[in-house]
Amino acid sequence: MRPRILICVAAVLLAGCTRTTTSGETSPPATSGAATSPPASTPPPQPPGGTIVEKPVATNLDHPATFVLDRTGVIFYGERLTGEIRRIDPKTGKNTSVFTIPDVIGSLTNEQGLVGLTVPPSFPQQPWLYAYATRKVKGVAEDQILRIRMDGDTGTGMQLMLNVQQAGIRHNGGRLVFGPDGMLYVVVGETEQSQLAQDRSVNSGKVLRMTPTGGVPNDDPFAGSMIYSYGHRNSFGLAFDPKTHDLWETENGPECNDELNRIIPGRNYGWGPSENCQGQAPQDTNGDGPNPELPQLFYPQTIGPTGVAFCDGCGLGTAREGDLFFGAFNTGDIHEVSLNADRTKAVQDSTPFNHGNLVLSIETGPDGTLYFSDGVGIFQLALKR
């Protein structure tokens, strides 16, 4: 049994770190800005909707800030503070150690540590686990992208793919996801230095796109650069729409204007040194640089958006098919966002489920089921029966 370590130290966390389940809650006001593998067998018919509940998959975990499921449903998760990657067999529940990334640093009061984990689409034929971690390198904290060579269920070695940036205490970013094009996409925070988000000579405050070996694709929007979009503050959520292959991102604002964005290659998302919360929202936090792209949705009262995933056979009712789901650190809500007919704009936001505690990553299983993590466990979303 892994030690249960609660994380009720930050003021932004919910009081008491308890877990409850509610249905049909009204979300904090959201305002519009600018106007996988198929299942192995046919799933049973879904009702149009219903009450969402959570089913514990694994509990008493140690800070599972990031996790990913492979094509068989095996869960790999990372312990943020220790750098250890562990494997959960869904058939037996067995939880075993895979690999420990050396020299990982982080604490309860910052955002450093092992914060990103993913596998390539053809895993384990491509036998690599990819990780984003803050490590102490020659006395300096560095955010790095790494890949761990797998031999069966065990990691046998580690390669440095990219030394991303000198790490900040916060705003490290770290979400990793492979796109439908086979490229690796990574969101990088601006280390609490807003001017870096507009500086295209650095990786900070960007979404990066690279080859699986860390090279620069020849069709990236800026020649010779991994930068896919820029002008970002800090993000924990990145996911591709399985219907359109568009990339969507959640982004944390300062004391205002948390965001949901559709990422368009080469665009500027406006975060920079003139940011403030006293002007016309959302331009007051999205006004720097050329032709800033405004968010799809923004939240005047901060909710702390985190992981994001799409419902594609998720088993939560036919009315929810195609909707986008994302978690909220500050409120424990899981938001559901419906899109317009061509899936280019967010139409409506609701909060059909509240976890009663912070929500971190959200991931999709091989059968479409949605999973999420908090500070001590991993859970599955399902309909109440």
Side-chain angles (χ1 to χ4, degrees):
M1 183 73 73
R2 303 291 294 168
R4 179 179 176 89
I5 302 178
L6 294 177
I7 45 177
C8 301
V9 297
V12 294
L13 303 191
L14 297 179
C17 283
T18 59
R19 183 171 79 237
T20 60
T21 301
T22 62
S23 176
E25 297 293 325
T26 302
S27 66
T31 309
S32 294
T36 42
S37 296
S41 60
T42 302
Q46 291 190 53
T51 300
I52 294 177
V53 296
E54 65 182 33
K55 295 182 178 181
V57 174
T59 56
N60 298 314
L61 307 183
D62 187 354
H63 295 83
T66 179
F67 70 99
V68 65
L69 293 94
D70 72 11
R71 292 184 296 170
T72 68
V74 164
I75 297 172
F76 295 92
Y77 73 92
E79 296 182 350
R80 180 171 75 88
L81 303 184
T82 70
E84 185 175 5
I85 300 169
R86 299 187 64 85
R87 178 186 187 274
I88 298 172
D89 185 328
K91 295 175 182 162
T92 65
K94 187 177 181 181
N95 186 329
T96 55
S97 182
V98 170
F99 187 83
T100 298
I101 298 172
D103 304 315
V104 166
I105 57 173
S107 75
L108 290 174
T109 57
N110 67 28
E111 294 170 6
Q112 298 177 343
L114 175 51
V115 292
L117 198 65
T118 195
V119 294
S122 61
F123 181 86
Q125 283 72 31
Q126 289 178 277
W128 299 97
L129 285 175
Y130 289 75
Y132 188 112
T134 311
R135 302 176 66 224
K136 183 66 71 70
V137 181
K138 297 180 179 179
V140 177
E142 299 280 354
D143 289 328
Q144 296 183 332
I145 298 172
L146 310 152
R147 63 177 190 163
I148 293 96
R149 177 86 182 191
M150 295 294 294
D151 182 4
D153 300 337
T154 304
T156 60
M158 182 181 79
Q159 294 179 0
L160 172 64
M161 283 182 55
L162 181 67
N163 208 46
V164 179
Q165 63 183 357
Q166 187 168 320
I169 298 298
R170 283 169 287 276
H171 299 193
N172 303 87
R175 179 72 172 104
L176 304 162
V177 61
F178 274 92
D181 56 3
M183 298 298 167
L184 180 64
Y185 294 75
V186 186
V187 67
V188 181
E190 38 74 293
T191 68
E192 297 185 288
Q193 300 180 77
S194 57
Q195 75 280 2
L196 297 182
Q198 291 295 322
D199 183 351
R200 298 212 315 264
S201 70
V202 298
N203 295 323
S204 309
K206 313 296 190 300
V207 173
L208 305 180
R209 177 178 183 259
M210 66 191 72
T211 69
T213 56
V216 179
N218 57 18
D219 57 346
D220 271 3
F222 303 105
S225 171
M226 293 180 180
I227 294 172
Y228 191 71
S229 63
Y230 66 104
H232 298 290
R233 183 177 184 266
N234 192 42
S235 173
F236 304 103
L238 206 59
F240 281 92
D241 184 336
K243 299 184 184 300
T244 65
H245 296 173
D246 285 345
L247 183 62
W248 290 73
E249 178 238 21
T250 58
E251 187 161 328
N252 283 244
E255 67 273 19
C256 66
N257 297 357
D258 288 341
E259 301 175 9
L260 174 66
N261 294 305
R262 183 170 71 97
I263 302 299
I264 302 169
R267 294 292 181 89
N268 164 39
Y269 285 78
W271 180 253
S274 69
E275 53 84 11
N276 67 87
C277 286
Q278 287 74 51
Q280 176 65 47
Q283 289 86 349
D284 49 4
T285 56
N286 294 77
D288 278 277
N291 303 312
E293 190 79 19
L294 295 180
Q296 291 283 323
L297 297 177
F298 67 96
Y299 298 81
Q301 295 181 334
T302 57
I303 60 174
T306 53
V308 58
F310 283 85
C311 176
D312 184 24
C314 68
L316 300 179
T318 55
R320 294 186 169 109
E321 280 295 309
D323 287 356
L324 177 155
F325 287 75
F326 73 87
F329 186 93
N330 293 358
T331 65
D333 285 323
I334 289 183
H335 288 248
E336 178 184 356
V337 178
S338 59
L339 307 182
N340 65 347
D342 66 3
R343 306 186 63 78
T344 59
K345 295 190 181 301
V347 173
Q348 183 177 358
D349 175 277
S350 62
T351 52
F353 177 77
N354 181 272
H355 177 52
N357 199 347
L358 60 92
V359 176
L360 296 175
S361 292
I362 298 183
E363 298 290 342
T364 304
D367 63 352
T369 300
L370 296 179
Y371 297 79
F372 71 93
S373 66
D374 65 8
V376 293
I378 296 172
F379 307 84
Q380 174 187 327
L381 292 179
L383 286 182
K384 184 176 182 180
R385 299 298 182 185

